[in-house]
Amino acid sequence: MNYVTEQILGSLRDARIRKGFSQRELSARSGVPQSHISKIESGDVDLRMSSLIALARVLDLELFVAPRKTVPAIKSIIRSSNATHNNGLSDESEPMSPAYQLEEYDDD
């Protein structure tokens, strides 16, 4: 399993836990079979786009494609938003990790 896939699967699992959902409850809300959610979270199956979208919607996550050059600005906005949601106090002990990480390529 590659780093990007691990990050996405970890983000889904973390969001499910933060929402307080069991795999069974997430299954009922998303329409994705519980056994498939278990396999997705453990990395035993490839995550299909339709399943990713269904799970993200239920977990209040947003999926988008952005130009690579805008990723630093997007990360900054997310950090700022997280600090605001934490009453202006960012938790420096837990650095934010993106749900994905692009390889460093020079597209110029």
Side-chain angles (χ1 to χ4, degrees):
M1 182 176 350
N2 67 37
Y3 176 76
V4 173
T5 303
E6 285 180 28
Q7 290 289 69
I8 291 171
L9 300 182
S11 294
L12 288 172
R13 183 179 44 253
D14 292 347
R16 176 181 62 78
I17 292 167
R18 273 193 312 277
K19 297 284 271 180
F21 294 162
S22 64
Q23 289 181 351
R24 182 170 288 155
E25 185 173 1
L26 180 57
S27 172
R29 292 172 180 256
S30 68
V32 176
Q34 184 275 325
S35 61
H36 194 62
I37 292 171
S38 176
K39 290 175 184 175
I40 289 169
E41 288 186 358
S42 65
D44 290 341
V45 297
D46 284 336
L47 180 57
R48 299 180 79 183
M49 186 62 70
S50 58
S51 297
L52 177 58
I53 291 169
L55 295 171
R57 284 183 179 150
V58 171
L59 296 171
D60 293 326
L61 299 174
E62 188 65 38
L63 302 171
F64 63 93
V65 176
R68 185 174 295 127
K69 291 181 179 183
T70 65
V71 172
I74 293 168
K75 287 181 181 179
S76 177
I77 292 167
I78 292 169
R79 278 191 300 272
S80 175
S81 175
N82 286 344
T84 301
H85 287 117
N86 293 328
N87 298 323
L89 303 172
S90 63
D91 186 359
E92 297 299 326
S93 65
E94 292 187 33
M96 183 186 84
S97 61
Y100 63 92
Q101 182 72 38
L102 299 175
E103 298 293 327
E104 293 295 324
Y105 296 109
D106 188 7
D107 286 341
D108 294 334

